[in-house]
Structures are given as structure tokens and as C-alpha cells.
Amino acid sequence: MEIRLTSERGFCSGVRRAIELAERAVESGKPLASLGAIVHNRQVIEHLSARGMRIVESLDEADGATLLIPSHGVGRQVVSELDARELSLIDATCPIVLNAQQVAHRLHREGFMVLIFGDASHTEVKGLLSWAGESAMATTTTPELSASVRRIGVLSQTTQSQTQFAAFLAQLMDSQLASLSEIYVFNTICDATTRRQAAALQLASEVDLMLVVGGYDSANTRHLAEICSSTGARTLHIESADEIGPSWHCFGASRIGVTGGASTPEWVIKEVIEKLEGTKC
Ligand code: SF4
């Protein structure tokens, strides 16, 4: 059995920065609380929790601790609340997410209806929506726009696929162009996501089985798995090596590809490789 790894995998710059900021804070000995999951990866959260970081769901729970804003950012209401309180703060919002928030806000201020290509239930997208005004909408399918909408601004959740965003835009133009007078499109998908997806797509086309390692709640890991699957390669999304148990089988694959999402630590990927190497297929 041959095991091959994508060259682009694991921590992106935004995740790395958030984790380094959190590590520095816990090392200083001061109490630290992350406002929601710092990144969407269980092992990272367990690692930082073991060193003293707490996860809180509201500012009220900070209880004197330094509050860390996660890599996927927070909504406008939270920023207003933070401004009004005197809390010690570490802002680990990824600069690329911050840029997408600013794009959404600018479009809204300039009177555009903002359309976000993304999963409306994801934390980053909820944050983007909060900057984009009440008329904003997040969707991955072609929306039905009200007849009164004439000017739209479109952007994407940072972890979506370029191909799917392009297909969404094409369908949007096809169905809505005649009723619109002005359309702005901002490609806010991040380069790290695009590079990881391209590498995963390439490897998936060369192997019989792809393992995509990362948090089940990690949007970019889920998208990697969808992209690998789209090549026809059998694809499994796993969170850790623990899932490769005695009953695990590799479906007769002679070549297995492995990649990891942008919030997956390299040591978790290494454990998966070691487990695979010790497993009979
Ligand atoms: S995936 Fe991209 S946007 Fe998201 S944290 Fe990483 S670098 Fe930032």
C-alpha cells in the first residue's frame, strides 16, 4: 500500500496566528477565554484548554479573563459590545476574514444588496451577514431576488471553492442579470483554501482512496472532502487516527492519499499516517 500526502495541507496563516496568540497568552499566566471555538478543530481546542484557555459563549462569561476573538471573526453587534466594555482583548480574526467583513460593510453602506456565497449557519458567514445589513442573504443556491433589487454586491465565504463560486455566479447572471442594473463581485475566497483544494483535487485523481483529516465542524475540511469526492475517488473525512480501528478497511485501495484541513495540526496528520502504515488493508 502506497500512502501519499498533499504538499499543501494543515495550518493556514490565519489559524497559525490565532493559535500562536493564544499560546503566548496562556504562557503569560493570565486567564484566557476564547469567544467560541478558537478554530474548528477538537485537538487544538483540547491542547489549549489543557493549558488553561476557556471557551465562553458570551462576553459576560469572560469573568476577568482576556478575551480572544477567534480566527473566523465575530459579528458587528459583538464588536459594538466590546467597544462599550473595558475588556482585555486579543483579536485573532484572520486578516482575510476581516477583509471580507469590510467588503460586506462597504457594499451595504453604498446601498447594494449583499449576497454571500456560503453556508448561512457557519460562524464566519453569520459574522459577514451582520456587517452586510438586513437585506443581506447567504446561500449556496441561486437566490430568488425581489423585483425591487437592482444593485447587488456578491462575495464569498473565505473557505468556499473557486469552481463552485464561479458556477454560482454563472447561474446568478443567467437568472437575474436582466433585472439588475449594477453588480459587483468580490472574490473573497482565501489563497490558502484554493491551494489546499487544488492539491487535494490533484492527489484525489491519482489515488484509489482519499483521507481528509480535520474537524467535522471545519468548513474548509468539509469542502476538501467534497472536492476529493467530486473526482470519483472514494473519500473519507476523519477527525483523527482513532477512527482507523481494527474494523477499518481501505476498500482494497493500493494508493491512499492524505490531506488535512486548514485547522488540522500536522501531528494529527502524522498519527493518521502512522496508523495507516501499521494497518493491513
Ligand atoms: S482558511 Fe484562509 S481565511 Fe480562513 S483562517 Fe485560514 S487563511 Fe484565514
Side-chain angles (χ1 to χ4, degrees):
M1 175 178 63
E2 184 190 353
I3 300 167
R4 291 169 62 182
L5 266 167
T6 53
S7 52
E8 295 277 352
R9 61 176 183 275
F11 287 173
C12 60
S13 58
V15 165
R16 195 180 302 282
R17 175 174 168 268
I19 294 170
E20 283 171 6
L21 285 169
E23 279 177 336
R24 242 178 278 153
V26 288
E27 271 162 26
S28 76
K30 291 188 196 139
L32 178 71
S34 172
L35 189 57
I38 175 173
V39 298
H40 291 127
N41 184 274
R42 180 173 56 82
Q43 293 95 337
V44 169
I45 291 173
E46 284 171 2
H47 165 75
L48 289 167
S49 299
R51 302 179 71 185
M53 186 189 79
R54 285 188 297 130
I55 305 281
V56 296
E57 297 306 327
S58 73
L59 304 190
D60 293 332
E61 293 171 54
D63 201 20
T66 297
L67 203 64
L68 182 137
I69 297 183
S71 56
H72 38 264
V74 288
R76 192 176 177 180
Q77 299 81 350
V78 177
V79 171
S80 305
E81 258 192 84
L82 286 167
D83 285 346
R85 301 191 192 196
E86 286 191 6
L87 291 171
S88 159
L89 198 67
I90 296 174
D91 188 354
T93 307
C94 172
I96 295 164
V97 173
L98 202 58
N99 173 62
Q101 291 179 346
Q102 286 163 355
V103 166
H105 195 208
R106 197 167 70 236
L107 285 166
H108 166 54
R109 277 202 323 262
E110 291 175 8
F112 291 87
M113 184 216 158
V114 180
L115 204 51
I116 299 165
F117 175 62
D119 171 4
S121 66
H122 188 274
T123 325
E124 178 200 322
V125 178
K126 286 183 187 167
L128 291 177
L129 280 169
S130 76
W131 291 97
E134 280 181 9
S135 62
M137 187 192 287
T139 178
T140 51
T141 55
T142 312
E144 295 263 336
L145 301 181
S146 133
S148 61
V149 174
R150 304 273 295 142
R151 302 167 75 224
I152 62 167
V154 191
L155 62 143
S156 173
Q157 181 179 3
T158 58
T159 51
Q160 290 288 338
S161 107
Q162 301 281 1
T163 311
Q164 286 169 6
F165 188 36
F168 172 82
L169 290 170
Q171 281 166 8
L172 185 67
M173 292 304 100
D174 200 36
S175 64
Q176 310 287 338
L177 185 61
S179 61
L180 297 170
S181 63
E182 216 173 334
I183 306 155
Y184 270 85
V185 176
F186 288 83
N187 186 355
T188 47
I189 297 172
C190 98
D191 280 352
T193 297
T194 304
R195 287 199 309 273
R196 278 158 184 70
Q197 290 176 352
L201 191 65
Q202 175 66 38
L203 186 57
S205 66
E206 297 167 3
V207 298
D208 316 303
L209 172 66
M210 269 304 283
L211 288 188
V212 182
V213 188
Y216 290 130
D217 55 353
S218 158
N220 78 80
T221 307
R222 282 204 309 268
H223 290 141
L224 277 181
E226 283 164 18
I227 283 167
C228 293
S229 206
S230 74
T231 64
R234 191 185 284 273
T235 303
L236 299 175
H237 175 178
I238 61 171
E239 225 177 40
S240 74
D242 294 344
E243 286 162 65
I244 305 171
S247 60
W248 194 84
H249 62 95
C250 59
F251 307 98
S254 57
R255 277 172 305 182
I256 299 182
V258 180
T259 192
S263 50
T264 309
E266 189 62 20
W267 58 264
V268 172
I269 297 172
K270 200 162 165 252
E271 280 179 1
V272 167
I273 305 282
E274 284 167 3
K275 197 79 171 270
L276 281 176
E277 284 169 345
T279 303
K280 278 209 172 79
C281 280

Short mmCIF file of all heavy atoms in Angstrom, two decimals, residues 221-275:
data_model
loop_
_atom_site.label_atom_id
_atom_site.label_comp_id
_atom_site.label_asym_id
_atom_site.label_seq_id
_atom_site.Cartn_x
_atom_site.Cartn_y
_atom_site.Cartn_z
N THR A 221 -12.40 21.87 5.81
CA THR A 221 -12.13 20.42 5.71
C THR A 221 -13.28 19.72 4.97
O THR A 221 -13.05 18.87 4.10
CB THR A 221 -11.97 19.80 7.12
OG1 THR A 221 -11.00 20.55 7.84
CG2 THR A 221 -11.53 18.35 7.05
N ARG A 222 -14.51 20.13 5.29
CA ARG A 222 -15.67 19.53 4.60
C ARG A 222 -15.61 19.82 3.10
O ARG A 222 -15.88 18.95 2.27
CB ARG A 222 -16.97 20.07 5.20
CG ARG A 222 -17.34 19.42 6.54
CD ARG A 222 -18.83 19.51 6.79
NE ARG A 222 -19.33 20.87 6.62
CZ ARG A 222 -19.43 21.77 7.60
NH1 ARG A 222 -19.08 21.44 8.82
NH2 ARG A 222 -19.90 22.97 7.35
N HIS A 223 -15.21 21.04 2.76
CA HIS A 223 -15.13 21.37 1.33
C HIS A 223 -14.03 20.55 0.65
O HIS A 223 -14.20 20.12 -0.49
CB HIS A 223 -14.86 22.87 1.13
CG HIS A 223 -16.04 23.72 1.50
ND1 HIS A 223 -15.93 24.91 2.15
CD2 HIS A 223 -17.36 23.50 1.32
CE1 HIS A 223 -17.15 25.40 2.35
NE2 HIS A 223 -18.02 24.57 1.86
N LEU A 224 -12.91 20.34 1.35
CA LEU A 224 -11.84 19.50 0.77
C LEU A 224 -12.39 18.10 0.47
O LEU A 224 -12.12 17.55 -0.61
CB LEU A 224 -10.68 19.36 1.77
CG LEU A 224 -9.63 20.46 1.84
CD1 LEU A 224 -8.57 20.10 2.88
CD2 LEU A 224 -8.97 20.70 0.48
N ALA A 225 -13.16 17.55 1.42
CA ALA A 225 -13.72 16.21 1.22
C ALA A 225 -14.68 16.20 0.04
O ALA A 225 -14.67 15.27 -0.78
CB ALA A 225 -14.40 15.74 2.50
N GLU A 226 -15.50 17.24 -0.09
CA GLU A 226 -16.46 17.31 -1.21
C GLU A 226 -15.72 17.36 -2.54
O GLU A 226 -16.09 16.69 -3.50
CB GLU A 226 -17.31 18.58 -1.09
CG GLU A 226 -18.41 18.49 -0.05
CD GLU A 226 -18.96 19.88 0.31
OE1 GLU A 226 -18.75 20.85 -0.45
OE2 GLU A 226 -19.58 19.97 1.38
N ILE A 227 -14.64 18.14 -2.57
CA ILE A 227 -13.87 18.30 -3.81
C ILE A 227 -13.21 16.98 -4.20
O ILE A 227 -13.24 16.57 -5.36
CB ILE A 227 -12.84 19.43 -3.63
CG1 ILE A 227 -13.56 20.77 -3.73
CG2 ILE A 227 -11.70 19.36 -4.63
CD1 ILE A 227 -12.76 21.94 -3.28
N CYS A 228 -12.63 16.29 -3.21
CA CYS A 228 -12.00 14.99 -3.50
C CYS A 228 -13.05 14.01 -4.02
O CYS A 228 -12.83 13.28 -4.99
CB CYS A 228 -11.33 14.43 -2.24
SG CYS A 228 -9.93 15.42 -1.70
N SER A 229 -14.19 14.02 -3.36
CA SER A 229 -15.27 13.12 -3.73
C SER A 229 -15.75 13.39 -5.16
O SER A 229 -16.12 12.46 -5.89
CB SER A 229 -16.41 13.37 -2.74
OG SER A 229 -17.18 12.30 -2.60
N SER A 230 -15.70 14.66 -5.56
CA SER A 230 -16.21 15.03 -6.89
C SER A 230 -15.36 14.42 -8.02
O SER A 230 -15.80 14.34 -9.16
CB SER A 230 -16.25 16.55 -7.05
OG SER A 230 -14.93 17.05 -7.20
N THR A 231 -14.14 13.96 -7.70
CA THR A 231 -13.31 13.34 -8.74
C THR A 231 -13.70 11.87 -8.96
O THR A 231 -13.20 11.22 -9.86
CB THR A 231 -11.81 13.33 -8.33
OG1 THR A 231 -11.68 12.50 -7.16
CG2 THR A 231 -11.30 14.72 -8.03
N GLY A 232 -14.56 11.36 -8.07
CA GLY A 232 -14.95 9.96 -8.16
C GLY A 232 -14.12 9.10 -7.22
O GLY A 232 -14.39 7.91 -7.04
N ALA A 233 -13.07 9.69 -6.62
CA ALA A 233 -12.24 8.91 -5.68
C ALA A 233 -13.05 8.65 -4.41
O ALA A 233 -13.75 9.54 -3.93
CB ALA A 233 -10.98 9.69 -5.32
N ARG A 234 -12.94 7.43 -3.90
CA ARG A 234 -13.61 7.17 -2.61
C ARG A 234 -12.96 8.08 -1.58
O ARG A 234 -11.73 8.12 -1.47
CB ARG A 234 -13.45 5.70 -2.23
CG ARG A 234 -14.32 5.30 -1.06
CD ARG A 234 -14.03 3.89 -0.66
NE ARG A 234 -14.59 2.90 -1.55
CZ ARG A 234 -15.81 2.40 -1.45
NH1 ARG A 234 -16.60 2.81 -0.49
NH2 ARG A 234 -16.23 1.48 -2.29
N THR A 235 -13.76 8.81 -0.83
CA THR A 235 -13.21 9.81 0.09
C THR A 235 -13.79 9.63 1.48
O THR A 235 -15.00 9.46 1.63
CB THR A 235 -13.55 11.24 -0.42
OG1 THR A 235 -13.04 11.38 -1.74
CG2 THR A 235 -12.96 12.31 0.47
N LEU A 236 -12.92 9.66 2.47
CA LEU A 236 -13.39 9.58 3.86
C LEU A 236 -12.90 10.82 4.61
O LEU A 236 -11.73 11.19 4.51
CB LEU A 236 -12.83 8.33 4.55
CG LEU A 236 -13.22 6.98 3.96
CD1 LEU A 236 -12.49 5.86 4.71
CD2 LEU A 236 -14.72 6.76 4.07
N HIS A 237 -13.81 11.45 5.33
CA HIS A 237 -13.44 12.57 6.20
C HIS A 237 -13.32 12.01 7.62
O HIS A 237 -14.29 11.49 8.16
CB HIS A 237 -14.54 13.64 6.11
CG HIS A 237 -14.35 14.80 7.03
ND1 HIS A 237 -15.21 15.87 7.07
CD2 HIS A 237 -13.40 15.07 7.97
CE1 HIS A 237 -14.81 16.74 7.97
NE2 HIS A 237 -13.72 16.27 8.54
N ILE A 238 -12.12 12.06 8.17
CA ILE A 238 -11.94 11.56 9.53
C ILE A 238 -11.35 12.68 10.40
O ILE A 238 -10.70 13.59 9.88
CB ILE A 238 -11.05 10.30 9.60
CG1 ILE A 238 -9.63 10.59 9.08
CG2 ILE A 238 -11.67 9.14 8.87
CD1 ILE A 238 -8.66 9.45 9.33
N GLU A 239 -11.58 12.57 11.71
CA GLU A 239 -11.08 13.63 12.60
C GLU A 239 -9.72 13.27 13.18
O GLU A 239 -8.91 14.15 13.48
CB GLU A 239 -12.10 13.85 13.72
CG GLU A 239 -12.36 15.31 13.98
CD GLU A 239 -13.42 15.53 15.03
OE1 GLU A 239 -13.45 14.81 16.04
OE2 GLU A 239 -14.22 16.45 14.84
N SER A 240 -9.49 11.98 13.36
CA SER A 240 -8.21 11.57 13.96
C SER A 240 -7.90 10.11 13.62
O SER A 240 -8.74 9.39 13.07
CB SER A 240 -8.29 11.72 15.49
OG SER A 240 -9.10 10.69 16.01
N ALA A 241 -6.68 9.70 14.02
CA ALA A 241 -6.24 8.31 13.77
C ALA A 241 -7.10 7.30 14.51
O ALA A 241 -7.16 6.12 14.13
CB ALA A 241 -4.77 8.17 14.19
N ASP A 242 -7.78 7.74 15.58
CA ASP A 242 -8.62 6.82 16.36
C ASP A 242 -9.69 6.14 15.50
O ASP A 242 -10.20 5.08 15.85
CB ASP A 242 -9.34 7.57 17.50
CG ASP A 242 -8.34 8.09 18.52
OD1 ASP A 242 -7.19 7.60 18.49
OD2 ASP A 242 -8.71 8.97 19.31
N GLU A 243 -10.05 6.80 14.40
CA GLU A 243 -11.11 6.24 13.56
C GLU A 243 -10.60 5.09 12.68
O GLU A 243 -11.39 4.41 12.03
CB GLU A 243 -11.73 7.34 12.69
CG GLU A 243 -12.62 8.24 13.54
CD GLU A 243 -12.92 9.56 12.88
OE1 GLU A 243 -13.58 9.55 11.84
OE2 GLU A 243 -12.47 10.59 13.40
N ILE A 244 -9.28 4.92 12.65
CA ILE A 244 -8.73 3.78 11.89
C ILE A 244 -8.54 2.64 12.89
O ILE A 244 -7.47 2.42 13.42
CB ILE A 244 -7.40 4.18 11.21
CG1 ILE A 244 -7.62 5.42 10.34
CG2 ILE A 244 -6.84 3.04 10.36
CD1 ILE A 244 -6.35 6.01 9.79
N GLY A 245 -9.64 1.97 13.18
CA GLY A 245 -9.63 0.91 14.19
C GLY A 245 -9.47 -0.45 13.56
O GLY A 245 -9.25 -0.56 12.34
N PRO A 246 -9.60 -1.54 14.38
CA PRO A 246 -9.42 -2.90 13.86
C PRO A 246 -10.41 -3.23 12.76
O PRO A 246 -10.11 -4.01 11.85
CB PRO A 246 -9.68 -3.79 15.11
CG PRO A 246 -9.63 -2.87 16.28
CD PRO A 246 -9.88 -1.48 15.80
N SER A 247 -11.61 -2.63 12.80
CA SER A 247 -12.60 -2.99 11.78
C SER A 247 -12.48 -2.11 10.53
O SER A 247 -13.22 -2.26 9.57
CB SER A 247 -14.01 -2.84 12.37
OG SER A 247 -14.19 -1.50 12.77
N TRP A 248 -11.51 -1.18 10.57
CA TRP A 248 -11.37 -0.27 9.43
C TRP A 248 -10.78 -1.01 8.25
O TRP A 248 -9.91 -1.84 8.39
CB TRP A 248 -10.41 0.87 9.83
CG TRP A 248 -10.44 2.03 8.89
CD1 TRP A 248 -11.34 3.05 8.91
CD2 TRP A 248 -9.55 2.29 7.80
NE1 TRP A 248 -11.05 3.94 7.90
CE2 TRP A 248 -9.97 3.50 7.19
CE3 TRP A 248 -8.45 1.64 7.26
CZ2 TRP A 248 -9.32 4.07 6.10
CZ3 TRP A 248 -7.81 2.19 6.16
CH2 TRP A 248 -8.25 3.38 5.59
N HIS A 249 -11.28 -0.75 7.07
CA HIS A 249 -10.65 -1.37 5.90
C HIS A 249 -10.51 -0.31 4.82
O HIS A 249 -11.23 0.69 4.82
CB HIS A 249 -11.46 -2.57 5.39
CG HIS A 249 -12.83 -2.22 4.95
ND1 HIS A 249 -13.15 -1.94 3.67
CD2 HIS A 249 -13.99 -2.06 5.66
CE1 HIS A 249 -14.43 -1.64 3.58
NE2 HIS A 249 -14.97 -1.70 4.77
N CYS A 250 -9.56 -0.52 3.94
CA CYS A 250 -9.27 0.56 2.98
C CYS A 250 -9.85 0.25 1.60
O CYS A 250 -9.33 0.73 0.60
CB CYS A 250 -7.78 0.84 2.93
SG CYS A 250 -6.84 -0.60 2.48
N PHE A 251 -10.92 -0.54 1.56
CA PHE A 251 -11.67 -0.76 0.32
C PHE A 251 -10.77 -1.26 -0.82
O PHE A 251 -10.95 -0.89 -1.97
CB PHE A 251 -12.40 0.52 -0.10
CG PHE A 251 -13.26 1.10 0.99
CD1 PHE A 251 -12.79 2.14 1.78
CD2 PHE A 251 -14.53 0.58 1.26
CE1 PHE A 251 -13.58 2.67 2.80
CE2 PHE A 251 -15.31 1.11 2.26
CZ PHE A 251 -14.83 2.15 3.03
N GLY A 252 -9.76 -2.04 -0.47
CA GLY A 252 -8.88 -2.61 -1.49
C GLY A 252 -7.97 -1.59 -2.17
O GLY A 252 -7.39 -1.88 -3.22
N ALA A 253 -7.84 -0.42 -1.57
CA ALA A 253 -7.02 0.63 -2.21
C ALA A 253 -5.55 0.28 -2.15
O ALA A 253 -5.05 -0.15 -1.12
CB ALA A 253 -7.26 1.96 -1.51
N SER A 254 -4.85 0.47 -3.29
CA SER A 254 -3.40 0.24 -3.25
C SER A 254 -2.67 1.57 -3.07
O SER A 254 -1.53 1.62 -2.65
CB SER A 254 -2.93 -0.47 -4.52
OG SER A 254 -3.31 0.29 -5.64
N ARG A 255 -3.35 2.67 -3.42
CA ARG A 255 -2.76 4.01 -3.20
C ARG A 255 -3.74 4.84 -2.39
O ARG A 255 -4.90 5.03 -2.79
CB ARG A 255 -2.48 4.70 -4.53
CG ARG A 255 -1.16 4.27 -5.16
CD ARG A 255 -1.03 4.83 -6.54
NE ARG A 255 -2.21 4.43 -7.32
CZ ARG A 255 -2.39 4.72 -8.59
NH1 ARG A 255 -1.53 5.44 -9.24
NH2 ARG A 255 -3.47 4.31 -9.23
N ILE A 256 -3.26 5.33 -1.26
CA ILE A 256 -4.13 6.15 -0.39
C ILE A 256 -3.55 7.56 -0.33
O ILE A 256 -2.35 7.75 -0.08
CB ILE A 256 -4.23 5.55 1.03
CG1 ILE A 256 -4.83 4.14 0.96
CG2 ILE A 256 -5.08 6.43 1.94
CD1 ILE A 256 -5.02 3.47 2.31
N GLY A 257 -4.39 8.55 -0.56
CA GLY A 257 -3.97 9.96 -0.46
C GLY A 257 -4.45 10.53 0.87
O GLY A 257 -5.52 10.17 1.36
N VAL A 258 -3.63 11.39 1.44
CA VAL A 258 -3.99 12.01 2.73
C VAL A 258 -3.81 13.52 2.62
O VAL A 258 -2.80 14.00 2.10
CB VAL A 258 -3.12 11.46 3.89
CG1 VAL A 258 -3.50 12.11 5.22
CG2 VAL A 258 -3.24 9.94 3.99
N THR A 259 -4.79 14.23 3.14
CA THR A 259 -4.64 15.68 3.25
C THR A 259 -5.30 16.13 4.55
O THR A 259 -5.97 15.34 5.21
CB THR A 259 -5.24 16.41 2.02
OG1 THR A 259 -4.82 17.78 2.06
CG2 THR A 259 -6.75 16.35 1.98
N GLY A 260 -5.09 17.39 4.89
CA GLY A 260 -5.68 17.91 6.14
C GLY A 260 -6.21 19.30 5.92
O GLY A 260 -5.68 20.07 5.11
N GLY A 261 -7.25 19.67 6.65
CA GLY A 261 -7.85 20.99 6.55
C GLY A 261 -6.94 22.07 7.14
O GLY A 261 -5.91 21.76 7.76
N ALA A 262 -7.34 23.31 6.96
CA ALA A 262 -6.50 24.44 7.38
C ALA A 262 -6.39 24.59 8.90
O ALA A 262 -5.56 25.34 9.40
CB ALA A 262 -7.06 25.73 6.79
N SER A 263 -7.23 23.86 9.63
CA SER A 263 -7.13 23.93 11.09
C SER A 263 -6.66 22.59 11.68
O SER A 263 -6.76 22.36 12.89
CB SER A 263 -8.47 24.34 11.70
OG SER A 263 -9.50 23.55 11.18
N THR A 264 -6.14 21.71 10.83
CA THR A 264 -5.70 20.39 11.31
C THR A 264 -4.21 20.42 11.66
O THR A 264 -3.38 20.69 10.78
CB THR A 264 -5.94 19.31 10.22
OG1 THR A 264 -7.28 19.41 9.77
CG2 THR A 264 -5.67 17.92 10.76
N PRO A 265 -3.84 20.12 12.91
CA PRO A 265 -2.41 20.12 13.27
C PRO A 265 -1.65 19.03 12.51
O PRO A 265 -2.19 17.95 12.25
CB PRO A 265 -2.43 19.80 14.77
CG PRO A 265 -3.81 20.03 15.24
CD PRO A 265 -4.71 19.81 14.06
N GLU A 266 -0.39 19.31 12.20
CA GLU A 266 0.44 18.35 11.47
C GLU A 266 0.59 17.05 12.27
O GLU A 266 0.63 15.96 11.69
CB GLU A 266 1.82 18.97 11.17
CG GLU A 266 2.70 18.17 10.23
CD GLU A 266 2.14 17.98 8.82
OE1 GLU A 266 1.25 18.74 8.39
OE2 GLU A 266 2.60 17.04 8.15
N TRP A 267 0.63 17.14 13.61
CA TRP A 267 0.82 15.91 14.39
C TRP A 267 -0.39 14.99 14.28
O TRP A 267 -0.27 13.76 14.38
CB TRP A 267 1.18 16.21 15.85
CG TRP A 267 0.21 17.06 16.64
CD1 TRP A 267 0.27 18.39 16.83
CD2 TRP A 267 -0.95 16.61 17.36
NE1 TRP A 267 -0.78 18.83 17.61
CE2 TRP A 267 -1.53 17.75 17.96
CE3 TRP A 267 -1.55 15.37 17.58
CZ2 TRP A 267 -2.69 17.68 18.74
CZ3 TRP A 267 -2.71 15.30 18.36
CH2 TRP A 267 -3.26 16.43 18.93
N VAL A 268 -1.56 15.54 14.04
CA VAL A 268 -2.76 14.70 13.86
C VAL A 268 -2.66 13.96 12.53
O VAL A 268 -2.97 12.77 12.43
CB VAL A 268 -4.05 15.57 13.94
CG1 VAL A 268 -5.28 14.74 13.58
CG2 VAL A 268 -4.20 16.17 15.32
N ILE A 269 -2.17 14.66 11.49
CA ILE A 269 -1.99 14.02 10.18
C ILE A 269 -0.92 12.92 10.28
O ILE A 269 -1.07 11.83 9.76
CB ILE A 269 -1.60 15.08 9.12
CG1 ILE A 269 -2.74 16.10 8.97
CG2 ILE A 269 -1.29 14.42 7.77
CD1 ILE A 269 -2.41 17.29 8.10
N LYS A 270 0.15 13.22 11.04
CA LYS A 270 1.25 12.25 11.21
C LYS A 270 0.72 10.98 11.90
O LYS A 270 1.05 9.86 11.50
CB LYS A 270 2.35 12.90 12.06
CG LYS A 270 3.67 12.26 11.93
CD LYS A 270 4.79 13.17 12.43
CE LYS A 270 6.04 12.36 12.63
NZ LYS A 270 6.42 12.14 14.00
N GLU A 271 -0.13 11.16 12.89
CA GLU A 271 -0.70 10.00 13.59
C GLU A 271 -1.53 9.14 12.64
O GLU A 271 -1.52 7.91 12.72
CB GLU A 271 -1.58 10.47 14.76
CG GLU A 271 -0.79 10.85 15.99
CD GLU A 271 -1.68 11.34 17.12
OE1 GLU A 271 -2.92 11.38 16.98
OE2 GLU A 271 -1.12 11.71 18.17
N VAL A 272 -2.25 9.80 11.74
CA VAL A 272 -3.06 9.06 10.75
C VAL A 272 -2.14 8.24 9.85
O VAL A 272 -2.39 7.05 9.60
CB VAL A 272 -3.93 10.04 9.92
CG1 VAL A 272 -4.54 9.36 8.70
CG2 VAL A 272 -5.04 10.63 10.80
N ILE A 273 -1.05 8.85 9.39
CA ILE A 273 -0.10 8.14 8.51
C ILE A 273 0.48 6.92 9.25
O ILE A 273 0.53 5.81 8.70
CB ILE A 273 1.07 9.07 8.09
CG1 ILE A 273 0.57 10.36 7.46
CG2 ILE A 273 2.07 8.35 7.19
CD1 ILE A 273 0.11 10.26 6.05
N GLU A 274 0.91 7.15 10.49
CA GLU A 274 1.50 6.04 11.25
C GLU A 274 0.50 4.91 11.44
O GLU A 274 0.85 3.74 11.33
CB GLU A 274 1.98 6.56 12.61
CG GLU A 274 3.29 7.35 12.47
CD GLU A 274 3.64 8.15 13.74
OE1 GLU A 274 2.93 8.05 14.74
OE2 GLU A 274 4.65 8.87 13.67
N LYS A 275 -0.74 5.26 11.70
CA LYS A 275 -1.77 4.24 11.90
C LYS A 275 -2.01 3.48 10.60
O LYS A 275 -2.14 2.25 10.60
CB LYS A 275 -3.05 4.95 12.38
CG LYS A 275 -4.09 4.06 13.01
CD LYS A 275 -3.75 3.73 14.44
CE LYS A 275 -4.87 3.04 15.17
NZ LYS A 275 -5.78 3.93 15.85
#
